[in-house]
Amino acid sequence: MSNVLYDVPGPKARLRSRIASVIAVIAIAAGLAAVIWALAAPRITAGGAELPGMFDPSRWDILADRAVWRRIGVGVLNTLQMAGVAAIGAVLFGVIISFLRTAGSGWIRYPMVVVLEFLRGMPVLLMMLFVLLIFSTGAYWAGVIALILYNGAIIGEALRAGIAALPRGQREAGLAIGLGPVRTRLSIEFPQAFRQMLPIIIAQLVVLLKDTSLAYVIGYNELLRTTTNQLANYYGSRYLFTLFFVTFAIYLAMNLLLSWIARIVARRVESGRMPKGSTPFSRKAEARRARKVVDDAFATRVTDQSLGAKR
Amino acid sequence: MDAVIENLPTFLRGFGTTLALLGIAGAGALVIGTLVAAMRISPVAALRGFATVYTEILRNTPLTLVLFFCAFILPYLGVRIDFFILASIGLTAYTSPFVAEAVRSGVNGVPVGQAEAARSIGLGFGQTLGIVVLPQAIRMVVPPLINVIIALTKNTSVAGAFFVKDLFASAQDVINIRGDEVFAILISVAVFYLIITVTLGRIAAVVERRVAVLR
């Protein structure tokens, strides 16, 4: 699309574009340099004492300490454990929800609509606090349960949309060969819906991994609390910036990795949908489309929140 | 229930702060997000690259980290601003890439023929975008944008954990006084949030139906 918006640039436009590029690069680099410069400058406290700048070795030397990394490792494991347990729970809960939401009886279906609206319209953080205080589960389970409820509701809606998008004949064929409605749903409709919606589900799991950091607020020792609370208290607050930076880098790496996996899965799913041997798409176009599926799924974190939004 | 009625002023003040956060961060994110989206489809490679990196980094950082940065690291680095403003900046920054993605997918959703037609009658990049593509894209972008705003509404609760007296913080404050009515307090706070999110969700659904008719 974006290449239709403007002509293939001629020599003049190319020159102008290159000049604009250079100016933009210089502006961005200057901005970054200003930030780095400001960070590196020694700071003067209110008392007049001079503290070293943010890139001074005395602020980074703890990274040479094995114990620090072991502690960070524990924090990462705590975060991953919460994310893993919540992810499994959320997928299972999503499956159950998609069943209840499409149940034959209105007595089950309509209350589910209200419950789902409630689960998706409420902040996850408030839900964590709710579980923590009402059921006194402890911070870990409060986080896990809130994440299961919220993400399960969204995954459930995604699965429902996937089932609704299947050709009618699939269900009819299942019933025609004598499978009951439940068997048809389980062994014919469900596997297909799941496969179609896999990119969206994985993208939602990236959101889930990000949201584990909310458990910081209710006092669970996940990565952020481990570094900026425990380690910063133990080694002194002069390392706060360093520790935050390390945390940030770890989170970024984990999430980018998972997003990347989501894109690969999306590409697999997409290419599985195309007739074999007649692929009119180059690898690059395919990758671009996989990227779009995942990007859209990211937006659904978002999009799925409105009840009326039919996709 | 009387714990809720007694402390209604606290809740309403919190609700006001939440709405203020929503308004400021929402407006800021719309402006910055649109700019980033424009950069991402612009002919200048450096701007495209910058916008991509900006989007990827912010979208893959947890909101808690962003707000932690605003509430602890910035003051630690010597920034002396009110926490409310810091939280608004954090929420704006966090929401802007989602706005940018919504706008970009709207622009990509306009049929190619429209842009081709505009190009073929001799309109330039700015004209094609401004007169032909964007007016159509905005229509398609409104429902997802409302959904971004709904997500933002819920995300403002995280600011309540970082020294901003919003609805979430007011819940915590009231619970500290009236520990015997935790359930009623939390449910009523949830209802306040649902008032915003469900209303916005309905608007999104209506707008979506209108757009569907137009196309």
Side-chain angles (χ1 to χ4, degrees):
Chain A
M1 174 74 201
S2 47
N3 50 3
V4 189
L5 290 176
Y6 37 87
D7 276 331
V8 176
K12 238 185 196 167
R14 258 206 306 271
L15 183 68
R16 237 181 294 137
S17 160
R18 204 166 299 146
I19 290 171
S21 253
V22 168
I23 291 174
V25 166
I26 290 173
I28 294 165
L32 279 179
V35 170
I36 291 172
W37 187 262
L39 286 176
R43 36 212 73 236
I44 318 287
T45 59
E50 196 178 293
L51 299 175
M54 288 301 145
F55 298 114
D56 194 82
S58 72
R59 287 187 187 269
W60 293 81
D61 54 7
I62 49 166
L63 294 185
D65 191 344
R66 287 277 264 312
V68 170
W69 284 106
R70 215 171 296 133
R71 196 79 216 141
I72 292 176
V74 171
V76 171
L77 282 183
N78 282 347
T79 286
L80 288 179
Q81 188 194 354
M82 177 175 265
V85 174
I88 295 168
V91 170
L92 291 179
F93 185 59
V95 169
I96 294 171
I97 283 205
S98 71
F99 272 91
L100 294 178
R101 182 72 178 72
T102 52
S105 157
W107 287 103
I108 304 174
R109 211 165 54 229
Y110 293 118
M112 276 319 286
V113 177
V114 179
V115 169
L116 284 180
E117 186 85 333
F118 187 77
L119 288 180
R120 292 186 310 176
M122 203 163 123
V124 187
L125 188 56
L126 193 65
M127 234 186 278
M128 285 186 183
L129 191 69
F130 191 95
V131 178
L132 180 72
L133 295 180
I134 303 287
F135 302 104
S136 352
T137 48
Y140 172 68
W141 283 107
V144 169
I145 292 172
L147 287 173
I148 287 178
L149 289 177
Y150 177 74
N151 293 288
I154 289 176
I155 291 175
E157 285 296 84
L159 285 174
R160 184 179 67 92
I163 291 174
L166 287 179
R168 245 233 183 99
Q170 296 293 325
R171 182 175 170 77
E172 287 166 355
L175 294 175
I177 58 169
L179 301 175
V182 176
R183 276 300 301 279
T184 308
R185 172 61 51 77
L186 271 178
S187 49
I188 295 190
E189 289 181 287
F190 212 75
Q192 299 184 60
F194 199 79
R195 192 175 144 80
Q196 296 283 315
M197 291 293 146
L198 201 54
I200 293 180
I201 291 173
I202 296 181
Q204 189 58 38
L205 295 183
V206 180
V207 173
L208 188 150
L209 178 60
K210 272 167 55 179
D211 280 353
T212 54
S213 69
L214 290 175
Y216 165 85
V217 176
I218 56 168
Y220 177 59
N221 278 325
E222 41 72 74
L223 181 55
L224 183 62
R225 182 168 283 277
T226 304
T227 52
T228 58
N229 210 305
Q230 293 183 337
L231 284 174
N233 281 346
Y234 186 75
Y235 287 94
S237 68
R238 73 171 184 280
Y239 294 115
L240 188 62
F241 180 79
T242 310
L243 288 165
F244 180 83
F245 188 82
V246 171
T247 312
F248 170 69
I250 293 174
Y251 260 115
L252 207 57
M254 288 197 298
N255 288 329
L256 285 174
L257 188 69
L258 205 54
S259 305
W260 181 67
I261 293 173
R263 274 180 195 134
I264 291 177
V265 172
R267 194 158 62 208
R268 287 269 168 79
V269 171
E270 281 283 298
S271 60
R273 220 179 275 161
M274 284 187 291
K276 287 207 179 67
S278 65
T279 324
F281 302 100
S282 70
R283 225 181 131 65
K284 211 173 163 190
E286 210 181 277
R288 205 179 307 130
R289 269 165 356 110
R291 206 183 152 78
K292 189 175 170 338
V293 169
V294 175
D295 283 347
D296 286 351
F298 249 119
T300 42
R301 113 165 260 195
V302 185
T303 310
D304 269 343
Q305 264 134 33
S306 78
L307 178 79
K310 295 188 186 62
R311 323 197 77 233
Chain B
M1 214 42 214
D2 56 318
V4 176
I5 296 162
E6 270 168 32
N7 294 296
L8 204 57
T10 313
F11 287 131
L12 287 179
R13 226 170 317 148
F15 190 58
T17 310
T18 293
L19 284 179
L21 273 178
L22 180 61
I24 296 172
L30 282 181
V31 173
I32 296 178
T34 313
L35 284 178
V36 172
M39 279 185 185
R40 240 186 133 167
I41 55 175
S42 81
V44 182
L47 292 181
R48 270 204 309 271
F50 173 75
T52 310
V53 171
Y54 176 87
T55 308
E56 285 300 314
I57 287 186
L58 273 174
R59 223 172 43 164
N60 284 297
T61 308
L63 176 61
T64 325
L65 244 74
V66 176
L67 287 180
F68 185 93
F69 182 80
C70 291
F72 288 106
I73 305 293
L74 282 181
Y76 177 78
L77 294 176
V79 177
R80 297 266 169 275
I81 315 180
D82 186 48
F83 283 124
F84 177 81
I85 299 171
L86 287 174
S88 307
I89 295 172
L91 284 168
T92 304
Y94 181 78
T95 312
S96 56
F98 291 100
V99 171
E101 286 300 278
V103 171
R104 191 170 68 103
S105 71
V107 172
N108 285 338
V110 176
V112 180
Q114 297 286 330
E116 283 170 350
R119 296 286 306 126
S120 72
I121 57 168
L123 301 185
F125 174 71
Q127 287 170 313
T128 308
L129 211 56
I131 308 176
V132 178
V133 176
L134 275 187
Q136 298 184 64
I138 283 169
R139 225 175 270 164
M140 299 172 68
V141 152
V142 168
L145 274 189
I146 295 179
N147 290 313
V148 172
I149 300 296
I150 292 178
L152 172 63
T153 310
K154 298 191 288 183
N155 286 338
T156 56
S157 66
V158 183
F162 293 102
F163 316 122
V164 179
K165 290 282 161 211
D166 78 329
L167 202 46
F168 180 76
S170 75
Q172 284 182 314
D173 288 351
V174 175
I175 286 170
N176 282 338
I177 320 171
R178 293 294 303 262
D180 54 327
E181 294 221 28
V182 177
F183 188 77
I185 293 167
L186 286 175
I187 290 290
S188 43
V189 169
V191 168
F192 273 119
Y193 277 111
L194 288 173
I195 289 175
I196 309 179
T197 54
V198 172
T199 314
L200 287 174
R202 293 269 168 258
I203 296 175
V206 170
V207 172
E208 195 153 25
R209 221 168 298 139
R210 287 267 170 81
V211 175
V213 172
L214 278 169
R215 279 205 156 256

